């Protein structure tokens, strides 16, 4: 028997590969706990139980102390396409329902985000005639920096977008001013006159490569997740 044809008894070198376990960071743990409380239903979560709201609020307070981004209002990390996962709103138990309650909350809190405004416009279309798609919020470098869009498909197959655009201006290292500029529904665009353009302050409470947490002037949080 020659070396050209080794016997079956020859042994092969065995290489042990040791995989390194990556432990989640403290930030990862908190973010995961928040998203676990928010089922991904393709639209923002606005109505949750009192217990879940409390759990999310406690987790957000922890997360905000871990904010890794200095001067987040001017950070390029803001730019990109985001999905609005949660809009905090108010506790439903604090007051009896009344015709003026929602108006009062709107004025007190600084109004709704462009994303929720676009969603409300799309939801007002006849449910039996259209299919409302997912909400996307794009933040760009050029004004109007914010574009909230929802794809709307008709039963005949044609599609169109509901789009709300808003300017986003830096007011401080952590504060932005958001001003509604126009709204488009089924190809019809309404440019808002400057005298009636609605604006609200936004405070960047947390920002990294994947998660954005903002609070309005009354402290109500919104959680956005970057779309991949």
């Amino acid at each position: 028997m020659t070396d050209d044809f080794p016997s079956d008894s020859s042994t092969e070198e065995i290489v042990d590969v040791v995989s390194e376990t990556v432990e989640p960071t403290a930030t990862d743990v908190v973010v995961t706990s928040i998203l676990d409380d928010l089922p991904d239903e393709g639209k923002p979560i606005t109505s949750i139980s009192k217990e879940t709201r409390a759990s999310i609020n406690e987790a957000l307070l922890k997360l905000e102390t871990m904010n890794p981004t200095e001067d987040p209002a001017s950070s390029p990390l803001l730019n990109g396409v985001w999905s609005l996962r949660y809009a905090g709103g108010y506790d439903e138990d604090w007051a009896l329902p009344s015709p003026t309650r929602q108006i009062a909350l709107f004025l007190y809190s600084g109004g709704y985000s462009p994303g929720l405004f676009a969603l409300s416009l799309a939801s007002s279309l006849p449910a039996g005639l259209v299919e409302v798609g997912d909400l996307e919020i794009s933040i760009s470098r050029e004004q109007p920096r914010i574009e909230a869009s929802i794809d709307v498909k008709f039963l005949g197959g044609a599609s169109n977008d509901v789009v709300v655009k808003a300017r986003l201006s830096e007011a401080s290292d952590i504060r932005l001013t958001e001003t509604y500029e126009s709204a488009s529904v089924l190809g019809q665009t309404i440019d808002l006159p400057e005298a009636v353009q609605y604006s609200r302050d936004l405070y960047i409470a947390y920002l990294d490569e994947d998660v954005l947490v903002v609070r309005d002037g009354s402290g109500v949080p919104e959680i956005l997740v970057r779309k991949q």
Side-chain angles (χ1 to χ4, degrees), residues 105-128:
L105 291 181
F106 183 88
L107 294 174
Y108 176 72
S109 69
Y112 303 130
S113 71
L116 291 182
F117 185 37
L119 189 62
S120 69
L121 291 176
S123 299
S124 67
L125 299 173

Side-chain angles (χ1 to χ4, degrees), residues 127-193:
L129 299 178
V130 299
E131 178 183 345
V132 177
D134 293 343
L135 167 67
E136 286 189 352
I137 299 176
S138 300
I139 304 179
S140 62
R141 291 175 293 181
E142 303 296 330
Q143 298 287 10
R145 292 185 63 188
I146 295 182
E147 180 177 295
S149 63
I150 300 175
D151 181 52
V152 177
K153 293 183 179 179
F154 293 87
L155 292 183
S159 64
N160 211 315
D161 288 339
V162 172
V163 180
V164 174
K165 294 184 179 182
R167 295 194 306 275
L168 196 62
S169 304
E170 184 180 344
S172 73
D173 292 342
I174 62 171
R175 180 166 60 92
L176 296 164
T177 299
E178 181 182 72
T179 305
Y180 283 55
E181 190 169 273
S182 67
S184 301
V185 181
L186 305 184
Q188 300 294 319
T189 300
I190 300 174
D191 292 320
L192 302 177

Side-chain angles (χ1 to χ4, degrees), residues 8-83:
D8 292 339
S9 61
S10 62
T11 60
E12 296 181 358
E13 184 179 358
I14 299 176
V15 179
D16 291 332
V17 177
V18 179
S19 60
E20 183 178 351
T21 302
V22 178
E23 295 292 335
T25 65
T27 301
D28 293 336
V29 172
V30 176
V31 169
T32 300
S33 73
I34 294 172
L35 296 182
D36 284 347
D37 283 334
L38 298 172
D40 190 357
E41 299 178 348
K43 61 181 181 180
I45 303 298
T46 58
S47 179
I48 55 177
S49 68
K50 186 175 182 179
E51 293 75 17
T52 301
R53 186 189 302 275
S55 175
I56 291 174
N57 284 339
E58 290 176 357
L60 285 177
L61 290 175
K62 293 180 182 177
L63 183 65
E64 289 166 10
T65 65
M66 306 174 186
N67 185 16
T69 305
E70 295 184 4
D71 304 334
S74 59
S75 172
L77 287 177
L78 279 174
N79 300 327
V81 181
W82 300 86
S83 172

